[in-house]
Amino acid sequence: MAPAAPRPLLPAPRLRAALALTAASALLLPLLPPPAAAAPEAAGACHQYTNRSCEECLKNVTCLWCVSSQKCMEYPVRRILPPTDLCELRSARWGVCWVNFEALIIAMSVVGGMILIMLGVCCCCCCRKKSKKPDKDDERAAREREKRRVRQEERRAEMKSRHDEIRRKYGLFKEENPYAKFEN
């Protein structure tokens, strides 16, 4: 049987999406236990695809393809990554044929590191703004409250003086003793 022709490269957005899906499935699927009924069949089924093609081998999710030895073997479920005596990381393929474990580990560590750095920077920026901002805001609010209170007191005093003038003008001003004006 002739070896399979290499797949054409995917466009960049599709490649990133496929890489993200492969990364997520590569991390989560080995942690899940295989179905009880399919376990005996899967072990025998993987070895029969040795010296064939990667695509044929990886149709079964429990299989691992080793490019250097052209072997199809059962994925070591008890371990997250296949041991080097089974297959080197750069030669191991699981899920899809064009992503090796070495590149996957490097890409995921870079992305994870960037996410951690971004979270750290965001936390630092938020903490700085919160620690400085309440002091300035509190001072500004206190000054505005004081200005409003002073203006309100001034308005009250003006209104009282106007009302007193109007009362005096029309003789409605209340004196302390109503008979005081008759005493003199």
Side-chain angles (χ1 to χ4, degrees), residues 70-146:
Q70 298 290 315
K71 287 185 180 178
C72 185
M73 57 198 87
E74 185 178 352
Y75 189 90
V77 180
R78 302 223 185 278
R79 304 182 78 177
I80 294 176
L81 297 174
T84 54
D85 60 339
L86 196 62
C87 187
E88 291 181 357
L89 284 180
R90 72 178 88 122
S91 298
R93 305 289 190 264
W94 182 77
V96 289
C97 295
W98 51 270
V99 175
N100 64 14
F101 276 97
E102 199 171 48
L104 184 67
I105 291 170
I106 292 170
M108 287 177 55
S109 63
V110 167
V111 169
M114 289 176 65
I115 289 172
L116 288 175
I117 289 171
M118 288 185 336
L119 285 174
V121 168
C122 288
C123 289
C124 289
C125 290
C126 290
C127 290
R128 283 185 187 166
K129 285 183 181 179
K130 285 184 180 179
S131 66
K132 291 180 181 179
K133 200 170 185 177
D135 295 337
K136 291 179 182 177
D137 287 344
D138 289 345
E139 290 175 11
R140 187 182 310 131
R143 282 190 300 241
E144 288 177 8
R145 277 195 303 267
E146 185 63 27

Side-chain angles (χ1 to χ4, degrees), residues 8-28:
L9 293 175
L10 295 172
R14 291 183 65 197
L15 179 66
R16 283 188 217 118
L19 184 60
L21 287 172
T22 304
S25 64
L27 288 177
L28 295 176

Side-chain angles (χ1 to χ4, degrees), residues 33-75:
E41 297 173 10
C46 290
H47 292 292
Q48 69 185 1
Y49 293 112
T50 299
N51 293 327
R52 289 194 184 173
S53 71
C54 177
E55 287 83 14
E56 288 180 34
C57 175
L58 295 183
K59 284 180 184 175
N60 188 347
V61 217
T62 60
C63 295
L64 171 76
W65 178 257
C66 187
V67 175
S68 60
S69 63
Q70 298 290 315
K71 287 185 180 178
C72 185
M73 57 198 87
E74 185 178 352
Y75 189 90

